[in-house]
């Protein structure tokens, strides 16, 4: 069953009352998805957009006016948003021709002179200034930073409490580098940029920098904090109840300060920066509130040096990604061996639900060495639910597995030595010829991207058509990117690299040491979804010549170790090279994963059959 819409009438009524009150007096109020650190995934206490709208996908922005509530989201969430929102809301399909972005909507659809309210901690500084200037140009309109979040007022006492879990140390046998050495490299970057210091607000960058991990956000091993790195001092702004004696010893030499103290301390720094004619550097995720505290004239907003340092994995991290994916492959083999047996021989057809089987997969993962938990909520989707690209099953409304329908499973684990993300599509009965053709075309795109050899610093924007071409030839496509970076026991979505048609991917070329996913798909609304996803390492390619003049060439090394179902492949559509690729991939999976399985078990026998030659 699809998710039921949430009745939002009462909360919208209360919000509009606050908007119209003399204390705030705004014509529109913006509710982003992000938290104060511009996180993609947020803690329950920061799910304000979900509370006010009912839509809980990871990407979207709500704009509420006196008579309209609009939700802006991308193609991954069109079906989900429409199913979860009631008639109070209008769905604005971002990326569809003629549909404005939420920023354009504010500029072009509100009366001249309108005041637009937003929590300034939830908006990036660059975006805030851009919108403010655009509104100012329309007869004195303005973007108003309201420190007391209006959604929090409406939410009241039922709003979840802020997490206060302990942080813990990630050993250098997993990170490959001591945090003090990382700080030295950051300072070298600051010298090159001629910056007096670095304001760090992205949570994964803080976790990476200090070799610490936490659990403040589900599936993301991060914790709420800010950091400031200068030539003479390193400060970590964090609730000190989250730090035990062991972590304090680990952080010896780092100044520990209260979480919110950064706002006052940046304000106090502003005059000395003006006098010395120096400026601090901050990454693009720095909030409008932080920038205003320091003074925009004292701040350079650019890519944080940590973003690229973190993206370029060292040898220890790369090997960790290989090893954790082998263990993850064992968990997946146990899962699909168990699931197939249940569906075919144990009455699982129309008995097991999407959540039932997702829970079983989590159990198999948690049995693996170094597993901490999941890297995101498992997308366990049968039939039409598979066409909801980021579908999240909920117990009670989830569908029952059906041998006559496609099953798409997108899942991942968090391990001390890496993060995994894998999608496989299976059919436990007899797929239709159309389903097999669609699957095979997705597979051809996956193989084309995997086999690519390209000059160092080639962008993911340039590589994206390789994955789409077999679908384009039939007039088909998919509404999501083809690949994203993956953290090392960090966020499953990591930048700046990616493969897709986003403008942002034009500015970041792929380099040796990066991670990237390869995940083309096809989705037929109301019928089925297909996605084949491997996590890959970007590694050096051995070529006979080097036309680049020394920069060299790169290729992808797939580290995901899960078979691709041969029953769904129309072999006649594959070239000889593509058939060889599939057989070689399956040989690699068998050789790496089978030693971790008990001979004769359901998982072992399933893996043996599924990795046999096409």
């Amino acid at each position: 069953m699809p998710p039921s819409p949430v009745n939002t009438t009462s909360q919208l009524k209360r919000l509009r009352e606050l908007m119209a009150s003399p204390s705030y007096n705004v014509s529109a109020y913006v509710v982003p998805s992000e938290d104060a650190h511009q996180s993609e995934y947020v803690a329950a206490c920061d799910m304000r957009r979900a509370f006010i709208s009912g839509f809980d996908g990871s990407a979207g922005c709500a704009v509420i006016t006196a008579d309209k509530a609009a939700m802006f989201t991308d193609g991954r969430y069109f079906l989900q948003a429409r199913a979860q929102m009631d008639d109070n809301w209008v769905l604005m399909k971002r990326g569809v021709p003629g549909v404005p972005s939420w920023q354009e909507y504010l500029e072009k659809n509100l009366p001249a002179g309108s005041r637009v309210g937003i929590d300034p901690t939830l908006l990036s500084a660059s975006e805030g200034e851009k919108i403010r200037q655009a509104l100012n140009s329309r007869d004195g309109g303005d973007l108003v930073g309201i420190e007391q979040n209006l959604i929090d007022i409406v939410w009241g006492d039922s709003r979840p409490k802020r997490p206060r879990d302990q942080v813990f140390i990630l050993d250098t046998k997993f990170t490959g580098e001591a945090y003090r050495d990382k700080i030295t490299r950051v300072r070298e970057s600051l010298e090159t940029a001629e910056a007096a210091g670095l304001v760090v607000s992205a949570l994964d960058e803080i976790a990476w920098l200090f070799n610490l991990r936490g659990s403040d956000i589900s599936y993301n091993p991060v914790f709420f904090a800010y950091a400031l790195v200068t030539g003479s001092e390193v400060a970590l702004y964090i609730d000190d109840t989250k730090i035990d004696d062991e972590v304090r010893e680990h952080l010896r030499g780092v100044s520990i300060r209260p979480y919110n103290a950064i706002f006052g301390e940046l304000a106090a720094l502003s005059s000395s920066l003006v006098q010395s004619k120096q400026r601090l550097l901050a990454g693009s995720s720095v909030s409008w509130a932080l920038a205003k505290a320091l003074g925009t004239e004292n701040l350079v907003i650019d890519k944080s040096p940590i973003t690229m340092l973190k993206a370029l994995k060292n040898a220890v991290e790369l090997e960790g990604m290989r090893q954790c994916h082998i263990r993850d492959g064992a968990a997946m083999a146990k899962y699909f061996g168990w699931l197939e047996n249940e569906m075919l021989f144990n009455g699982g057809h129309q008995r097991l639900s999407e959540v039932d089987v997702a829970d079983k997969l989590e159990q198999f993962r948690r049995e693996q060495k170094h597993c901490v938990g999941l890297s995101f909520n498992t997308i366990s989707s049968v039939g039409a639910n598979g066409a909801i690209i980021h579908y999240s099953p909920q117990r009670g409304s989830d569908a029952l597995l059906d041998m006559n329908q496609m099953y798409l499973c997108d899942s991942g684990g968090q391990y001390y030595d890496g993060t995994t993300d894998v999608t496989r599509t299976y059919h436990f009965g007899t797929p239709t010829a159309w389903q097999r053709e669609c699957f095979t075309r997705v597979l051809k795109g996956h193989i084309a991207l995997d086999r690519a050899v390209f000059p160092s610093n080639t962008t993911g924007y340039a590589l994206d058509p390789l994955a789409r071409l077999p679908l384009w030839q039939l007039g088909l496509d998919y509404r999501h990117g083809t690949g994203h970076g993956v953290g090392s026991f960090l966020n499953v979505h990591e930048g700046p690299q990616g493969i897709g048609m986003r403008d942002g991917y034009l500015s970041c070329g792929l380099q040796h040491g990066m991670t990237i996913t390869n995940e083309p798909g096809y989705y037929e609304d109301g019928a089925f979804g297909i996605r084949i996803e491997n996590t890959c390492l970007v590694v050096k390619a051995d070529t006979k010549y080097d036309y680049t003049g020394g920069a060299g060439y790169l290729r992808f090394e797939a580290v995901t170790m899960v078979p691709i179902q041969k029953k769904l492949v129309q072999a006649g559509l594959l070239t000889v090279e593509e058939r060889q690729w599939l057989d070689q991939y399956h040989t690699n999976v068998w050789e790496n994963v089978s030693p971790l399985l008990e001979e004769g078990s359901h998982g072992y026998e399933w893996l043996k059959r599924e990795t046999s030659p096409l």
Side-chain angles (χ1 to χ4, degrees):
M1 295 175 61
S4 301
V6 175
N7 187 331
T8 60
T9 301
S10 61
Q11 51 260 52
L12 284 173
K13 179 176 182 292
R14 175 62 177 138
L15 175 61
R16 286 172 171 140
E17 289 172 352
L18 289 170
M19 291 164 54
S21 70
S23 299
Y24 306 111
N25 186 28
V26 291
S27 303
Y29 192 70
V30 179
V31 187
S33 300
E34 294 79 12
D35 60 16
H37 304 268
Q38 296 294 292
S39 306
E40 177 185 11
Y41 296 100
V42 299
C45 60
D46 291 319
M47 293 180 180
R48 299 178 177 93
R49 191 213 61 224
F51 167 77
I52 198 66
S53 69
F55 167 54
D56 62 5
S58 68
C61 183
V63 176
I64 299 98
T65 64
D67 58 0
K68 192 172 184 178
M71 178 61 66
F72 298 78
T73 192
D74 61 52
R76 295 172 297 169
Y77 295 109
F78 290 167
L79 296 179
Q80 179 181 340
R82 188 63 280 160
Q84 290 183 321
M85 296 189 305
D86 65 9
D87 292 339
N88 286 303
W89 289 86
V90 175
L91 176 60
M92 306 295 283
K93 298 181 177 180
R94 200 177 78 202
V96 172
V99 177
S101 66
W102 67 266
Q103 298 92 332
E104 293 168 338
Y105 181 84
L106 293 176
E107 297 168 21
K108 298 176 181 178
N109 290 271
L110 296 181
S114 294
R115 285 165 46 89
V116 176
I118 192 169
D119 180 338
T121 66
L122 306 184
L123 184 68
S124 71
S126 55
E127 199 65 56
E129 284 302 310
K130 180 181 175 182
I131 296 171
R132 186 185 64 80
Q133 291 173 14
L135 292 173
N136 285 170
S137 67
R138 300 189 68 230
D139 296 333
D142 201 7
L143 182 66
V144 182
I146 301 175
E147 291 187 12
Q148 175 61 63
N149 191 290
L150 300 190
I151 303 301
D152 293 351
I153 297 174
V154 176
W155 212 341
D157 293 339
S158 59
R159 181 186 173 214
K161 300 298 181 184
R162 195 169 184 82
R164 301 184 70 178
D165 296 339
Q166 294 281 298
V167 302
F168 59 93
I169 301 164
L170 186 62
D171 196 280
T172 52
K173 69 181 180 182
F174 299 118
T175 67
E177 184 179 18
Y179 84 86
R180 290 182 177 85
D181 294 331
K182 293 181 179 182
I183 290 171
T184 297
R185 290 204 287 154
V186 169
R187 283 175 167 154
E188 290 171 353
S189 298
L190 293 176
E191 287 182 15
T192 301
E194 298 182 344
L198 176 68
V199 179
V200 192
S201 61
L203 300 183
D204 62 333
E205 293 187 2
I206 294 168
W208 176 88
L209 179 62
F210 293 104
N211 285 349
L212 296 174
R213 297 296 187 267
S215 56
D216 284 351
I217 297 178
S218 296
Y219 313 115
N220 299 267
V222 297
F223 51 93
F224 290 117
Y226 295 100
L228 179 63
V229 180
T230 68
S232 60
E233 185 182 31
V234 179
L236 179 64
Y237 299 85
I238 186 172
D239 179 350
D240 66 359
T241 63
K242 301 169 72 67
I243 298 177
D244 62 17
D245 291 341
E246 183 181 10
V247 173
R248 286 183 188 279
E249 178 63 24
H250 170 76
L251 293 173
R252 183 186 296 181
V254 175
S255 179
I256 308 298
R257 297 171 185 169
Y259 174 74
N260 282 316
I262 190 170
F263 292 93
E265 294 193 10
L266 287 180
L269 269 177
S270 60
S271 59
S272 62
L273 289 170
V274 171
Q275 291 173 3
S276 63
K277 296 182 180 180
Q278 291 182 304
R279 294 194 290 178
L280 298 182
L281 175 65
S284 57
S285 64
V286 69
S287 71
W288 192 32
L290 278 174
K292 290 203 298 182
L294 181 64
T296 54
E297 69 279 5
N298 299 315
L299 189 65
V300 175
I301 298 174
D302 202 347
K303 280 185 179 177
S304 165
I306 296 176
T307 301
M308 189 58 73
L309 294 174
K310 175 169 56 66
L312 298 175
K313 307 293 185 283
N314 59 44
V316 170
E317 292 171 315
L318 292 175
E319 185 58 26
M321 290 293 280
R322 294 184 182 100
Q323 295 304 318
C324 75
H325 276 85
I326 293 172
R327 299 194 304 276
D328 202 66
M332 294 292 287
K334 289 181 179 181
Y335 171 63
F336 279 114
W338 166 83
L339 182 55
E340 181 182 78
N341 184 70
E342 289 294 310
M343 293 294 289
L344 298 182
F345 307 114
N346 206 23
H349 170 70
Q350 289 289 315
R351 176 177 64 83
L352 293 170
S353 76
E354 293 165 328
V355 173
D356 290 337
V357 297
D359 289 347
K360 189 69 174 180
L361 174 54
E362 180 175 359
Q363 175 189 322
F364 285 127
R365 268 207 171 92
R366 287 185 179 274
E367 292 173 355
Q368 301 303 311
K369 181 181 179 181
H370 295 327
C371 183
V372 178
L374 304 184
S375 56
F376 57 95
N377 192 28
T378 298
I379 300 171
S380 172
S381 52
V382 63
N385 288 340
I388 303 174
I389 296 169
H390 273 199
Y391 171 73
S392 180
Q394 304 296 321
R395 187 172 296 281
S397 63
D398 55 330
L400 298 176
L401 267 66
D402 191 322
M403 287 182 56
N404 301 310
Q405 297 192 62
M406 302 272 270
Y407 174 65
L408 185 155
C409 182
D410 186 348
S411 66
Q414 291 286 10
Y415 300 82
Y416 289 132
D417 50 351
T419 300
T420 70
D421 184 3
V422 51
T423 308
R424 289 295 184 264
T425 308
Y426 286 94
H427 200 300
F428 298 102
T430 304
T432 66
W434 174 241
Q435 289 171 334
R436 294 180 68 214
E437 177 170 3
C438 293
F439 183 91
T440 307
R441 288 184 177 274
V442 171
L443 175 60
K444 287 171 72 71
H446 180 96
I447 294 172
L449 187 57
D450 183 90
R451 296 179 67 223
V453 176
F454 48 92
S456 181
N457 272 313
T458 298
T459 67
Y461 193 101
L463 294 172
D464 183 70
L466 294 174
R468 297 180 191 268
L469 184 58
L471 289 167
W472 284 352
Q473 290 170 337
L474 206 62
L476 305 177
D477 205 348
Y478 50 93
R479 292 193 185 103
H480 60 73
T482 299
H484 57 81
V486 180
S488 181
F489 187 32
L490 271 176
N491 297 353
V492 72
H493 292 165
E494 178 178 273
Q497 74 274 24
I499 299 174
M501 294 184 285
R502 292 183 186 178
D503 290 344
Y505 295 152
L506 284 167
S507 62
C508 179
L510 297 176
Q511 299 181 40
H512 171 76
M514 287 181 168
T515 56
I516 200 78
T517 60
N518 173 359
E519 51 179 308
Y522 174 67
Y523 310 89
E524 200 154 286
D525 291 356
F528 61 86
I530 296 166
R531 188 159 62 253
I532 303 171
E533 177 185 19
N534 281 354
T535 297
C536 305
L537 310 181
V538 182
V539 297
K540 294 177 181 177
D542 293 326
T543 56
K544 185 174 182 180
Y545 305 104
D546 184 3
Y547 191 76
T548 67
Y553 287 76
L554 301 172
R555 63 178 179 86
F556 297 119
E557 176 192 336
V559 291
T560 296
M561 295 286 153
V562 183
I564 296 167
Q565 191 179 39
K566 293 173 295 182
K567 178 169 46 174
L568 281 167
V569 177
Q570 282 190 349
L573 287 177
L574 297 182
T575 65
V576 172
E577 292 80 6
E578 289 167 340
R579 291 174 63 112
Q580 290 173 342
W581 179 95
L582 186 60
D583 286 345
Q584 182 56 52
Y585 175 72
H586 281 154
T587 297
N588 193 32
V589 171
W590 171 254
E591 291 177 350
N592 279 280
V593 176
S594 60
L596 301 184
L597 301 173
E598 181 182 352
E599 190 169 351
S601 66
H602 292 313
Y604 183 93
E605 295 302 324
W606 176 87
L607 186 73
K608 185 176 182 179
R609 186 188 71 244
E610 291 297 322
T611 57
S612 63
L614 184 63

